[in-house]
Each structure stands twice: as structure tokens, then as C-alpha cells.
Amino acid sequence: MANRTEWGEIFTPEQQAKADQMNDYEDRIPPYTVPGPESATGAEFLQKERGILLEKLGKYLYGPIPGRCKYLDFDIVSEEPDAFGGLATRRQIVIRCSNGGQARFLNMLLYIPNRRKKPVPVFFGMNLRGTHAGTFDPLVRYTVTKRYPTLGGFIRFSDRRAREDQRGMEASRWDHEKVLKRGYAVATINYCDVYPDHPLGFPDSVLAMFFDEKTFRSPERPCGAISAWAWGYSRAIDCLEAQPEIDRNRIAIHGLSRLGKTALWAGANDERAALTVSCCSGTLGAKLSHRYFGEDFSWIELWNPHWVVPEFRNWVDRDLEIPVEQNQLLACIAPRLLFIMSAEEDTYADPKGEFLSAVHASKFYRLFGSEGIGTDRQPPVGKLLTGDIGYFLQEKEHNFHPSGWDALLDYTDLHWGIHASQENER
């Protein structure tokens, strides 16, 4: 297995030992089964089975997503119509959330294409390194207010947000200008605004509005960081729905890596997401857990136990036995649009397992008269599948590459009827 993290740094010996235990040989995958639907119709699935699946996924993996919060408002702190040489309006919004005497602020960056005659679709995704890291735009606010220390020699347990002078370091991962030129709005929030991705992050997270740290550290922890981030996706949708330039019926949510896991969990729970996009989401995301290839439960427990509920520990080294499978997570998005993206060199995330999960999720989509992904043969690099479950295999390593944005925009144009920029020229 590879010996570098997604951040490009060498594993500690303990991490490397765990990485070396992962299976990366197809002929060593044990026999496994993938559950299909129990419902006979789409209506029956939505009325009963979907709720049961969401409850099971919450129980064994993520924990249920907290409720909305008592107070929520959206404060536009700046707005300028000259972003990207006049291509878009830059709007920066503070989403103010409060509940139980606690308050949290989420800093949203929203670009809206200026060439429009009607409300436009929007892509929303949380970012890993800081909102300013995704663009060279000098007027995007730098909002990293607290950093977290490295713990116990674990590379992972340190703050990975970009410094102010690293503005734009991940601009190619976001491709804001490309998306805007196609006629779509784009929006993002740094995931650390919602839950700082660190073992000590709870007091500065939105979860502190719903229960105390003692409960979080206990075996009764209601949910983990993935559900916190999913909560943030829903608050972003609340905010986007309040913007008159945004088409509230065509909101797409997306995420890379751990945020790909999150986008799927958010999209499964929040039916306002018209399109859910997972990029290289791996374990707890799109890939089949029972397939036992690449990243496994043991790795998640070592690497990021704060992502999940304590019940998850009972299934470490028992991946084959857990009574829930990731195609059921994908199924909870049906019949809405779903787009799964992998990368050919991303062994940990198991591209084949992500594709097969989509194949098995298609059995649920058929309850609604859809073919889902429409094939059981994984396509080669660069070939776009355009069913109600879309799929695209990127070149290279674990990342959201420019080719992935091209494929996603082509897919969205197709399903939302017309090139968004052409639509706004009418």
C-alpha cells in the first residue's frame, strides 16, 4: 500500500503498519453479499424502507444528524459584482447559528454568474484547506481563527488549513471560474467552521449547541463529525434557498474524500439536494464495506474515531458482519440524481468497490423506473456514465481533478435540460 497520507506526508510507523494490513489484492477478497431492496415499489421504499435504512446507518456508523437549531440567520458581510473580471458577483455570508445558549458562525463564499435572466443552479461543497485556498481571488476573506496542535506523533492530528499566504493553493481542485462560465453558481464553507477535524475539536463545533463534551466523549455519543458536517451542508442549503438568484430546485452538493462521505450522508437525509456528488469517498462513503479491499474499518478507527459513533468500534475487523452496506446509503438518495467519481490510482478508496456499490444501488433506483447506473461493467478512465446514477473514473490520484469537473458539468447539463448559461441567455 502507499505510504503517504492524502496530505502528501509520510505515515507514522503505527499508521504504516495499519496501512500494510489492508488488502489490495482482488484474489484475496473473501466472499461477500450485498443487500438489495425489500420494497416492491418506489413509493413503498420512500414510505418505510428508506427511514429504516437511515436509522441503521445512523446507529452503526454516523449517528443521526442533529435538528436545525433554534435561531438561524444569514448576514451578507460583503458583495461585489466584479469577481473574475466581471464574470460573477462575489457574495460573502455569515450563517449565524445558535441553540441552547451556544452560537456558531459558518462563513460562506458564494459566486453568482452575472450573465443570468433567471435563478441559477448552484454547486455547494465544503472545503478542507480553507475557503481562501480554493481561489486566488484577493477579496475572499481569510477566516481561520484557531489552529489545533499535532497530537501523539500522528500526522493526521494537526491542523491542515492553509495559511493566509497560501491563498489559491487548491484552486485547481475547485475550478470556480470554469463552473461559473458554464452558468452555475458556486458556494463553499470550510468544514472546520462546522467541526474542526481534530480529536480536540468538539468545543468549537456545532455539536456543542446540542450536547456537552462529556456526552461526546462517552459511549453514548449521539453522533460524530460526519453527521456534524452533514448538518452544515443542510444549513448551507437553508442559506442558498434564501438567495433570490439561486434556483432552489437545482441545488447540487459535493465533497472530496471525508467530505465525499459527508455529502452522501447529507444527500441521503436532506431531500432538497437535487444532485449529490461523491468524489473518492472510500470507506463510509461510496465503496462497499463488505468487499474488504483498501481502506477498512480498522483504519478509520485508528485514523479518525471522532468521525463516527462508538458503536462503530464493535465492527472493527468485522467489516463483513456489519448489518448495513454502503449501497444502502446510496439508495437513500433515490430517486434523486447521484454522481459517483473515483480516481484510478486511489487504491485506498477502492474505485471498483465504489462502482460496484453504484451497481447495487441501482436495484433500488429500479423501483422508481430508473436504470440507475445502467451497466455492471466499470468504464475506463475518462468515460462518463450519464444515468440517474452517474459515474466517472478520473485519471491519477485521490483528488477532484479538472477532468472531474468537466465530466460533472457535462452530466449536470444533460440532466438539468440545457447548458445553464444558454438557459440564462433566453
Side-chain angles (χ1 to χ4, degrees):
M1 300 294 287
N3 66 346
R4 290 183 181 271
T5 74
E6 71 184 73
W7 306 101
E9 298 189 68
I10 304 298
F11 289 153
T12 64
E14 182 180 1
Q15 292 165 340
Q16 188 61 52
K18 281 287 185 183
D20 291 341
Q21 292 173 15
M22 297 182 203
N23 174 43
D24 60 350
Y25 295 94
E26 287 283 337
D27 60 0
R28 296 181 185 175
I29 297 173
Y32 66 94
T33 59
V34 181
E38 297 181 0
S39 303
T41 66
E44 184 181 332
F45 175 77
L46 292 177
Q47 289 167 5
K48 184 177 180 181
E49 188 174 355
R50 177 174 175 269
I52 293 171
L53 292 179
L54 289 173
E55 185 176 349
K56 287 173 64 177
L57 289 159
K59 175 182 177 180
Y60 296 114
L61 302 178
Y62 317 108
I65 299 170
R68 190 171 186 263
C69 69
K70 189 172 182 179
Y71 299 105
L72 184 69
D73 62 59
F74 317 117
D75 181 12
I76 297 175
V77 295
S78 70
E79 182 169 339
E80 303 87 12
D82 59 353
F84 301 106
L87 175 64
T89 292
R90 176 195 312 103
R91 184 174 295 164
Q92 299 185 81
I93 306 168
V94 176
I95 304 174
R96 303 181 187 276
C97 316
S98 61
N99 201 68
Q102 295 274 346
R104 293 293 178 271
F105 300 151
L106 317 180
N107 298 281
M108 175 182 282
L109 169 65
L110 170 63
Y111 288 116
I112 306 167
N114 286 332
R115 192 174 184 179
R116 64 181 187 277
K117 292 184 178 179
K118 61 196 313 186
V120 295
V122 62
F123 284 96
F124 171 79
M126 286 189 186
N127 64 79
L128 293 161
R129 298 295 295 264
T131 298
H132 66 292
T135 178
F136 291 102
D137 185 343
L139 295 185
V140 170
R141 298 167 68 230
Y142 172 72
T143 58
V144 177
T145 56
K146 179 179 178 180
R147 292 192 178 271
Y148 289 82
T150 299
L151 290 180
F154 270 36
I155 294 169
R156 174 64 199 91
F157 293 160
S158 59
D159 196 309
R160 282 293 179 266
R161 284 171 289 177
R163 301 185 308 270
E164 186 169 11
D165 62 358
Q166 293 174 307
R167 182 177 299 270
M169 66 179 299
E170 293 194 333
S172 65
R173 177 178 285 182
W174 288 88
D175 257 351
H176 292 318
E177 192 168 358
K178 176 187 291 183
V179 181
L180 288 161
K181 286 179 178 177
R182 295 282 284 261
Y184 298 94
V186 292
T188 186
I189 292 170
N190 180 244
Y191 79 140
C192 289
D193 284 4
V194 181
Y195 187 106
D197 191 7
H198 190 277
L200 303 179
F202 174 86
D204 299 305
S205 79
V206 298
L207 295 183
M209 296 191 294
F210 299 97
F211 50 89
D212 60 26
E213 187 165 12
K214 182 178 179 181
T215 301
F216 183 79
R217 303 292 175 199
S218 77
E220 286 73 45
R221 177 162 78 229
C223 66
I226 288 175
S227 280
W229 296 323
W231 184 92
Y233 271 78
S234 288
R235 301 296 71 78
I237 292 175
D238 291 338
C239 180
L240 292 167
E241 287 188 323
Q243 310 306 307
E245 302 91 346
I246 299 302
D247 182 348
R248 62 189 301 159
N249 294 314
R250 292 192 288 181
I251 294 175
I253 62 173
H254 63 90
L256 166 68
S257 193
R258 68 208 63 196
L259 295 176
K261 310 177 201 299
T262 301
L264 291 173
W265 183 228
N269 281 274
D270 195 328
E271 295 180 77
R272 297 174 298 171
L275 166 61
T276 300
V277 181
S278 157
C279 181
C280 301
S281 58
T283 303
L284 305 183
K287 102 175 183 74
L288 295 173
S289 299
H290 294 169
R291 204 174 107 84
Y292 234 125
F293 184 96
E295 187 179 52
D296 56 25
F297 287 177
S298 177
W299 179 258
I300 295 291
E301 175 62 17
L302 168 75
W303 195 239
N304 285 301
H306 58 284
W307 288 359
V308 292
V309 290
E311 167 68 19
F312 177 78
R313 297 183 190 125
N314 295 327
W315 304 98
V316 170
D317 296 325
R318 298 172 59 201
D319 307 42
L320 279 167
E321 300 173 46
I322 193 167
V324 68
E325 181 54 287
Q326 295 310 108
N327 72 306
Q328 294 174 316
L329 171 64
L330 307 188
C332 289
I333 296 169
R336 291 168 288 130
L337 296 176
L338 170 63
F339 191 81
I340 304 298
M341 200 175 335
S342 306
E344 65 171 330
E345 297 175 12
D346 191 9
T347 305
Y348 284 171
D350 184 14
K352 184 175 180 179
E354 292 183 321
F355 173 77
L356 289 173
S357 187
V359 170
H360 288 283
S362 297
K363 299 173 185 177
F364 293 84
Y365 272 73
R366 291 187 194 117
L367 300 176
F368 299 91
S370 167
E371 286 301 307
I373 202 166
T375 181
D376 60 2
R377 298 185 64 180
Q378 187 175 13
V381 171
K383 180 175 175 58
L384 173 63
L385 298 184
T386 59
D388 289 340
I389 301 179
Y391 182 82
F392 185 73
L393 182 61
Q394 303 175 101
E395 75 287 1
K396 301 180 183 177
E397 73 285 351
H398 182 91
N399 207 339
F400 203 136
H401 295 280
S403 65
W405 271 113
D406 290 334
L408 175 57
L409 291 168
D410 288 346
Y411 176 86
T412 310
D413 284 352
L414 176 66
H415 281 276
W416 283 348
I418 191 169
H419 195 299
S421 61
Q422 295 173 347
E423 179 176 285
N424 281 288
E425 291 172 5
R426 288 185 167 183

